[in-house]
């Protein structure tokens, strides 16, 4: 992994629709070596998927709900049932097992409070939970799917972006 690979990753994180020729021009390579690098980044698992980011307002799921879940069930059978249930809910866009006070945290996107109430009732009927706490985002201040690339093993010390 060198600076050119990092530049390619940064460009693709910003716009995965760029052609290989456009990326090659921006990183100072000819098309074929750039294409090989992109193929290598994919085969080595640095690029796991290329997706389109949909405008949530236009598809009517503008509301973010963060759900903190506690359970007194800490066994593999319960976890399997819970994970399988969560897989069935398209509204769940992120799902994490946590350390600390909360066992699981998920982010759900829905059109409105009524849709969330329907989701909530389905959730609590699908598996035994000891506590469910929901918080509604009032405003999205920062959102990105891009991850920082300055922490890679052969990168220099991470730099703070100047504002």
């Amino acid at each position: 992994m060198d600076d050119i690979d990092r530049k390619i990753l940064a460009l693709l994180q910003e716009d995965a629709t760029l052609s290989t020729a456009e990326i090659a021009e921006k990183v100072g390579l000819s098309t074929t070596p750039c294409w090989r690098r992109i193929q290598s980044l994919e085969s080595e698992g640095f690029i796991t998927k290329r997706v389109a980011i949909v405008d949530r307002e236009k598809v009517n799921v503008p509301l973010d709900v963060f759900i903190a879940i506690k359970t007194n069930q800490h066994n593999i059978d319960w976890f399997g049932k819970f994970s399988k249930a969560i897989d069935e809910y398209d509204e769940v866009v992120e799902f994490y097992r946590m350390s600390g006070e909360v066992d699981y945290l998920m982010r759900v996107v829905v059109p409105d409070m009524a849709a969330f109430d329907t989701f909530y009732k389905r959730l609590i009927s699908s598996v035994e939970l000891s506590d469910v706490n929901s918080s509604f985002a009032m405003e999205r201040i920062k959102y990105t799917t891009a991850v920082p690339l300055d922490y890679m093993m052969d990168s220099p010390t991470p730099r703070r972006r100047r504002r």
Side-chain angles (χ1 to χ4, degrees), residues 79-106:
F79 177 73
K81 182 179 177 184
F82 185 44
S83 294
K84 186 174 182 192
I86 297 306
D87 278 344
E88 299 298 317
Y89 300 128
D90 291 339
E91 299 93 339
V92 178
V93 293
E94 294 180 74
F95 179 44
Y96 304 94
R97 187 167 55 91
M98 306 295 290
S99 66
E101 296 280 322
V102 171
D103 295 311
Y104 300 92
L105 181 66
M106 65 179 76

Side-chain angles (χ1 to χ4, degrees), residues 63-70 92 102 104-110 112-113 115-124 129-138:
L63 185 60
D64 282 298
V65 186
F66 295 89
I67 305 170
I69 295 172
K70 294 181 184 178
V92 178
V102 171
Y104 300 92
L105 181 66
M106 65 179 76
R107 183 170 68 95
V108 171
V109 295
V110 290
D112 53 30
M113 194 66 98
F116 174 72
D117 188 50
T118 300
F119 167 83
Y120 173 81
K121 289 172 182 170
R122 285 179 17 228
L123 174 67
I124 63 171
L129 304 170
S130 60
D131 187 43
V132 179
N133 187 324
S134 303
S135 298
F136 299 87
M138 295 171 45

Side-chain angles (χ1 to χ4, degrees), residues 19-105:
S19 70
T20 303
E22 290 170 311
I23 295 168
E25 182 179 324
K26 291 176 186 258
V27 300
L29 290 175
S30 61
T31 304
T32 301
C34 183
W35 178 83
R36 283 190 194 117
R37 283 179 180 254
I38 293 170
Q39 295 302 304
S40 177
L41 290 166
E42 287 178 335
S43 68
E44 292 174 18
F46 287 97
I47 299 170
T48 58
K49 188 187 288 191
R50 297 189 205 192
V51 299
I53 298 174
V54 174
D55 183 317
R56 291 179 33 211
E57 296 281 336
K58 291 188 179 190
V59 297
N60 195 32
V61 287
L63 185 60
D64 282 298
V65 186
F66 295 89
I67 305 170
I69 295 172
K70 294 181 184 178
T71 181
N72 55 12
Q73 300 289 319
H74 297 280
N75 61 70
I76 199 70
D77 292 333
W78 180 90
F79 177 73
K81 182 179 177 184
F82 185 44
S83 294
K84 186 174 182 192
I86 297 306
D87 278 344
E88 299 298 317
Y89 300 128
D90 291 339
E91 299 93 339
V92 178
V93 293
E94 294 180 74
F95 179 44
Y96 304 94
R97 187 167 55 91
M98 306 295 290
S99 66
E101 296 280 322
V102 171
D103 295 311
Y104 300 92
L105 181 66

Side-chain angles (χ1 to χ4, degrees), residues 5-24:
D5 289 331
R6 279 188 278 282
K7 287 177 186 176
I8 290 170
L9 286 174
L11 288 166
L12 287 171
Q13 284 192 112
E14 187 63 34
D15 184 358
T17 66
L18 290 172
S19 70
T20 303
E22 290 170 311
I23 295 168

Side-chain angles (χ1 to χ4, degrees), residues 116-159:
F116 174 72
D117 188 50
T118 300
F119 167 83
Y120 173 81
K121 289 172 182 170
R122 285 179 17 228
L123 174 67
I124 63 171
S125 70
S126 65
V127 68
E128 183 181 335
L129 304 170
S130 60
D131 187 43
V132 179
N133 187 324
S134 303
S135 298
F136 299 87
M138 295 171 45
E139 178 182 11
R140 184 187 307 169
I141 298 167
K142 179 180 180 180
Y143 174 80
T144 183
T145 59
V147 297
L149 302 173
D150 292 338
Y151 293 95
M152 297 176 72
M153 294 302 285
D154 56 345
S155 290
T157 304
R159 300 175 296 273

